[in-house]
Amino acid sequence: MQGFEALAGDWDEILAAEHDMALTIFDKMLATDETQTFKRKMLLMKLTHALDKHAHAEEMVVYPALREANEAADADELESEHGYVKTFIYELSQMAPDANGWLEKVREFRDLVREHAKMEEEQVFPRFKTEMDEEQNAKITGLVNRDGCWMS
């Protein structure tokens, strides 16, 4: 997985690729029916791993860098949304994969992740990146890549 991300380019492109990968997993989950319980369990495990790895890179590298650049309000908001992501993961893991409401919960979860990714990709990250010099950008990219390898 990390090899693919390293080809994505800078830290913001790596994180955007991970957003796309997570949304693709959601779409696969939404394409299942209640008879596909094993597939749903496997997709939830894959999604959980992808989101855990992704959140770790953001929380350990990007959000601290945002705070250092006087962007604490954005970092705090984005990090608090990660708490909701963890709540959705917990709730889905507690539901039977053939339960009524499973797809609705996945759809609601996908919407949250999509909106979170949109805020990062269209507002916070571009603004933050324009304030960086090449050295800072390279440092954050290296740290995101290192963190991704460690979490893989």
Side-chain angles (χ1 to χ4, degrees):
M1 189 182 326
Q2 189 60 29
F4 164 75
E5 293 154 0
L7 296 174
D10 288 344
W11 62 273
D12 56 327
E13 295 164 322
I14 294 166
L15 296 175
E18 291 178 355
H19 291 153
D20 292 343
M21 191 177 350
L23 293 173
T24 297
I25 297 168
F26 277 115
D27 292 341
K28 289 178 182 180
M29 293 169 81
L30 290 169
T32 64
D33 64 47
E34 65 279 349
T35 67
Q36 297 173 297
T37 57
F38 181 77
K39 185 173 186 175
R40 285 180 172 185
K41 287 178 188 178
M42 292 300 104
L43 288 168
L44 180 58
M45 282 184 9
K46 186 175 183 175
L47 180 67
T48 299
H49 176 73
L51 291 175
D52 281 349
K53 179 184 162 304
H54 177 82
H56 193 270
E58 289 183 339
E59 292 171 7
M60 300 306 289
V61 177
V62 179
Y63 298 166
L66 279 169
R67 288 185 181 93
E68 202 171 86
N70 295 317
E71 301 282 345
D74 284 334
D76 291 346
E77 180 179 350
L78 292 168
E79 195 159 7
S80 87
E81 289 176 1
H82 283 192
Y84 292 104
V85 167
K86 291 169 187 161
T87 299
F88 270 104
I89 289 170
Y90 173 77
E91 289 173 354
L92 276 171
S93 72
Q94 298 303 303
M95 290 178 81
D98 58 351
N100 286 337
W102 192 88
L103 284 176
E104 290 76 22
K105 180 66 71 176
V106 171
R107 197 170 289 111
E108 186 181 349
F109 188 8
R110 186 192 190 284
D111 289 345
L112 171 78
V113 170
R114 187 188 71 236
E115 288 304 310
H116 175 85
K118 183 178 177 181
M119 181 180 173
E120 287 179 339
E121 292 176 26
E122 295 179 7
Q123 298 171 33
V124 178
F125 292 171
R127 183 178 62 239
F128 180 44
K129 192 171 182 178
T130 61
E131 299 168 1
M132 292 181 184
D133 59 28
E134 280 187 41
E135 185 179 325
Q136 291 168 313
N137 186 59
K139 179 182 177 186
I140 291 177
T141 298
L143 291 171
V144 166
N145 273 315
R146 185 192 72 197
D147 194 78
C149 286
W150 181 75
M151 290 292 290
S152 289

